Amino acid sequence: MFMNFLLAVPCVPQNVDAHVDCDAGFMAVSWELSEGAISYTATAEGSKVQQCSVNDTLCDITDLYCGETYTITVHAQDDSCDSAESPSITMKTAPCAPQYVYTSLDCDTKGTSVTWEKSDGAVWYVTTAEGQDGHITMCNTTETHCHFLNLHCSQSYFITVKAMDGYCQSINTSIFETETVPCPPHNVQADCDIVTAFVTWEPSNRTVSYTATAERSDGHTATCTTSETNCLIPDLHCSQIYNITVLAFGENCNSIQSSSYEIRTAPCAPDEIIANVDCNSNRLVVSWGRSNGAMSYDITAEGSDGHTHSHNATETRYEVLDLHCGQSYNITVTTLSYSRNGISSTSVQIQTAPCIPENLTAELNCDSNVVSFSWDDTDGAKLYTVTARDSQQVTALFNTSDTKAQIPHLQCGEYYTISVLATDNICKSPQSAVVNVHAVACDPQNVDVRLDCNLNTALVSWDYSKGALWYTAIAEGPNGNIQLCRTSETSCRTPMLLCGQLYSVYVIASDNTCNQSQSSIVEIQTAPCSPQNVSAYLHCATQTTSVFWDQSDGAMFYTAIAEGMEGDRYPCNATETSCEITDLPCGQIYSITILAMDGNCTSLPSPAFEIQTVSSS
């Protein structure tokens, strides 16, 4: 007998319910126990399908998308069959976290704007700003942006944006950090140095740089920018009141303006500076226009050689007496106020008179009678005026830019005074440099020579030579034989000259420098030399004596003389070196000497030669 069993399908789950865990991001599904069911499967169907299977009447469906509405059903299973799906319910997951959150500073309002993209499932949004100093503020909106106006300056804020739907808020919220605008600098102070303000302040957090501004009532402004807590503001206008403020700059925006600090700039510089130099004394007179607000004035004269003269005066005129010669001076006048700050005028340049030329030296060229002179380069000189004056008049006057010159064609024997004066375009040096020089003495004139035949010396005479202090008479013979005599008079006698020679005689006039002044040459023939090597030969038959001797320098003719014991003399004349003496008495001893003659002088007698004539018996 066969029996048929009908297997019953599990009942459909009833009273399906679902609960969304906002924080964990899953959905808890529950239902009533179904008759015949061994297990259950809960299904959430949205843009994707997720399931969970359990033996119980509760399970968690995970990995759901945020901000999405899901249809929830449950079916039961036994070992063979599945029940039909339960009646469906719908359930919405927590909103998605906002994405692409951006923050930006509004530099005009000093506020912070936060923007994001619309989140799936969001009904409204809550934006929270929490500062490092503990300040917290929130913004609720249904839009996708929010603007904070009450954030603290110089703070770093953490920004969070949450999406809300009335039941859940978004999870995995991103945190964004932003910085607010810098706080305005505090304790701004300033000190004015002439027309430059030195500004200081306390640091402001999260500041990249600062800009200090000086503003005058008429709108003139000047600034300085720095990353430090101080800076200099230059180029302010003189005699003005300025208000100083400082702005702090962050990466994107600047702070509001700091409190102001008032300063007063120095009095303006004096104008109409007039400076005049007295060329003779180098006295400087400076005058200027009075400056508004000035209590006194500093006058400074700074020379090109480094010399500086300064003085403080309450009047608008001042005399400077100690300027150096030949220098270019810059003259400035500085106004002084109570604070001693001052502004210098535009400098006025003046030139003092050239210095007196120094180390003037002169050198006479004795050969050419040209005087060369030089001097040191003189401060301030552009030209030099050279004057040469002799005993009668100015003989030379010229200008030169050099520091040396020559004067040719000096008059012999003259005493010259040479002066050098330095000049520029306006002034001359107060005095000239002076040097004295003697020209070469004049050549001696009218030289006369008289020979002493017996002594063979020459008496030389001449006219006075202008400029000469002494004279040298020189007799120059053959073979370099020279005899001379010196004197301060106009004549002198030479030492003995060589006999029988032709001498050239001249006179040199000398002073302390030169001995180049030479007279014309006068020639003189000295007395003939005494004949030498005298010999005689007696011709007994004729009672004639032949006399012989050597040629004597300078001799034109000769006289031989035989002188007896009683003083009787027997001569013979000859132009040659021998002659015959006749008619000598017999039996006598004779001394024979020879005299040489040239028409003007007779030589000294030659050495004697004795001879005895033959007796008549």
Side-chain angles (χ1 to χ4, degrees):
M1 176 177 180
F2 295 95
M3 296 184 67
N4 291 326
F5 294 95
L6 178 64
L7 297 178
V9 177
C11 292
V12 176
Q14 298 297 316
N15 296 323
V16 175
D17 192 17
H19 174 74
V20 175
D21 188 321
C22 297
D23 296 326
F26 64 86
M27 188 178 295
V29 183
S30 63
W31 56 90
E32 291 182 355
L33 187 65
S34 294
E35 188 175 353
I38 298 176
S39 63
Y40 304 90
T41 298
T43 301
E45 185 173 355
S47 57
K48 73 172 183 176
V49 176
Q50 292 290 96
Q51 293 179 330
C52 64
S53 295
V54 293
N55 296 325
D56 203 353
T57 59
L58 175 67
C59 73
D60 294 334
I61 301 177
T62 59
D63 296 330
L64 300 178
Y65 288 158
C66 61
E68 189 168 333
T69 299
Y70 283 87
T71 299
I72 309 299
T73 58
V74 180
H75 62 271
Q77 297 101 16
D78 59 14
D79 289 335
S80 303
C81 297
D82 291 344
S83 71
E85 288 185 348
S86 69
S88 66
I89 62 171
T90 58
M91 185 61 64
K92 188 176 182 182
T93 56
C96 293
Q99 299 296 314
Y100 301 105
V101 178
Y102 294 102
T103 62
S104 63
L105 285 175
D106 187 330
C107 295
D108 293 331
T109 64
K110 311 305 178 188
T112 299
S113 292
V114 184
T115 62
W116 56 89
E117 285 191 354
K118 187 175 181 180
S119 296
D120 289 341
V123 176
W124 76 91
Y125 302 90
V126 176
T127 305
T128 303
E130 184 175 357
Q132 286 184 327
D133 61 354
H135 174 243
I136 298 175
T137 184
M138 301 176 70
C139 167
N140 293 336
T141 180
T142 58
E143 305 295 332
T144 56
H145 57 82
C146 189
H147 190 69
F148 291 100
L149 291 174
N150 60 343
L151 300 186
H152 293 179
C153 60
S154 291
Q155 287 296 314
S156 178
Y157 275 84
F158 293 100
I159 306 296
T160 59
V161 182
K162 293 182 179 181
M164 313 292 289
D165 63 2
Y167 178 75
C168 286
Q169 65 181 20
S170 57
I171 60 175
N172 298 327
T173 302
S174 298
I175 299 176
F176 299 89
E177 187 175 4
T178 186
E179 292 185 357
T180 58
V181 297
C183 294
H186 293 290
N187 196 23
V188 174
Q189 296 188 22
D191 186 24
C192 185
D193 181 14
I194 309 178
V195 290
T196 297
F198 178 66
V199 188
T200 62
W201 55 89
E202 291 181 359
S204 179
N205 288 335
R206 305 189 183 281
T207 297
V208 175
S209 64
Y210 302 90
T211 295
T213 302
E215 185 171 5
R216 202 176 70 183
S217 57
D218 65 355
H220 174 251
T221 60
T223 63
C224 63
T225 298
T226 179
S227 59
E228 306 296 329
T229 56
N230 62 79
C231 68
L232 295 175
I233 304 178
D235 302 326
L236 303 181
H237 293 178
C238 56
S239 297
Q240 298 297 323
I241 297 175
Y242 282 87
N243 286 318
I244 307 295
T245 57
V246 182
L247 287 176
F249 286 83
E251 292 290 347
N252 300 299
C253 294
N254 59 275
S255 69
I256 63 174
Q257 200 170 64
S258 71
S259 58
S260 65
Y261 190 94
E262 187 178 280
I263 63 167
R264 183 184 296 272
T265 56
C268 293
D271 56 6
E272 299 177 5
I273 307 297
I274 300 173
N276 292 309
V277 177
D278 184 334
C279 293
N280 294 324
S281 64
N282 270 336
R283 179 175 63 96
L284 169 67
V285 178
V286 187
S287 62
W288 57 91
R290 187 170 293 277
S291 179
N292 232 349
M295 304 305 300
S296 62
Y297 304 89
D298 265 348
I299 302 94
T300 301
E302 186 172 357
S304 50
D305 63 350
H307 171 243
T308 300
H309 177 101
S310 60
H311 182 78
N312 181 261
T314 57
E315 301 301 321
T316 58
R317 184 180 183 277
Y318 179 66
E319 292 186 7
V320 185
L321 302 178
D322 65 343
L323 299 186
H324 293 179
C325 61
Q327 299 300 316
S328 175
Y329 277 86
N330 287 322
I331 312 299
T332 55
V333 180
T334 303
T335 55
L336 299 177
S337 64
Y338 286 112
S339 63
R340 305 300 294 172
N341 292 334
I343 299 178
S344 298
S345 65
T346 302
S347 62
V348 175
Q349 191 174 72
I350 59 101
Q351 181 75 35
T352 56
C355 297
I356 301 170
E358 293 184 347
N359 296 325
L360 175 61
T361 58
E363 182 178 351
L364 181 67
N365 187 313
C366 297
D367 294 328
S368 62
N369 201 19
V370 172
V371 62
S372 300
F373 47 97
S374 63
W375 56 93
D376 290 345
D377 196 14
T378 302
D379 286 344
K382 292 188 175 180
L383 286 175
Y384 300 92
T385 299
V386 179
T387 305
R389 183 185 297 273
D390 63 17
S391 58
Q392 302 297 322
Q393 61 184 353
V394 173
T395 60
L397 177 63
F398 58 89
N399 292 325
T400 179
S401 59
D402 206 348
T403 57
K404 58 184 177 180
Q406 286 186 341
I407 299 178
H409 313 305
L410 300 182
Q411 292 295 320
C412 65
E414 275 290 348
Y415 183 83
Y416 285 87
T417 298
I418 298 171
S419 62
V420 178
L421 185 72
T423 66
D424 58 18
N425 293 333
I426 300 175
C427 293
K428 298 178 180 179
S429 56
Q431 297 176 7
S432 301
V434 176
V435 67
N436 296 314
V437 66
H438 275 286
V440 173
C442 293
D443 295 341
Q445 301 294 318
N446 298 320
V447 175
D448 181 58
V449 183
R450 296 175 181 266
L451 182 67
D452 184 329
C453 294
N454 295 324
L455 299 176
N456 237 356
T457 61
L459 177 64
V460 187
S461 62
W462 54 89
D463 292 344
Y464 167 74
S465 180
K466 187 175 181 179
L469 297 179
W470 68 87
Y471 304 90
T472 302
I474 299 175
E476 188 172 341
N479 301 321
N481 180 257
I482 294 176
Q483 298 294 336
L484 54 86
C485 59
R486 289 189 175 92
T487 181
S488 59
E489 305 299 327
T490 57
S491 66
C492 68
R493 183 178 295 278
T494 68
M496 181 179 292
L497 305 179
L498 296 179
C499 60
Q501 301 296 321
L502 180 65
Y503 276 83
S504 295
V505 180
Y506 53 92
V507 180
I508 294 175
S510 303
D511 57 19
N512 288 326
T513 304
C514 298
N515 57 359
Q516 313 307 112
S517 304
Q518 180 178 315
S519 70
S520 57
I521 296 175
V522 176
E523 291 187 339
I524 184 174
Q525 180 72 39
T526 58
C529 295
S530 298
Q532 300 297 314
N533 297 323
V534 178
S535 61
Y537 178 72
L538 178 63
H539 298 281
C540 295
T542 60
Q543 290 292 307
T544 298
T545 300
S546 296
V547 184
F548 303 92
W549 60 90
D550 291 345
Q551 177 73 37
S552 181
D553 287 343
M556 297 178 64
F557 50 89
Y558 304 91
T559 296
I561 299 174
E563 185 173 358
M565 299 295 291
E566 300 298 328
D568 50 331
R569 296 164 61 91
Y570 298 91
C572 69
N573 297 321
T575 57
E576 302 298 329
T577 57
S578 64
C579 69
E580 290 185 348
I581 300 174
T582 60
D583 300 326
L584 290 179
C586 60
Q588 299 290 324
I589 295 175
Y590 289 89
S591 177
I592 300 175
T593 58
I594 315 297
L595 296 174
M597 290 163 284
D598 62 3
N600 292 313
C601 288
T602 301
S603 72
L604 296 175
S606 68
F609 184 87
E610 287 189 351
I611 190 172
Q612 183 171 6
T613 57
V614 178
S615 173
S616 56
S617 56

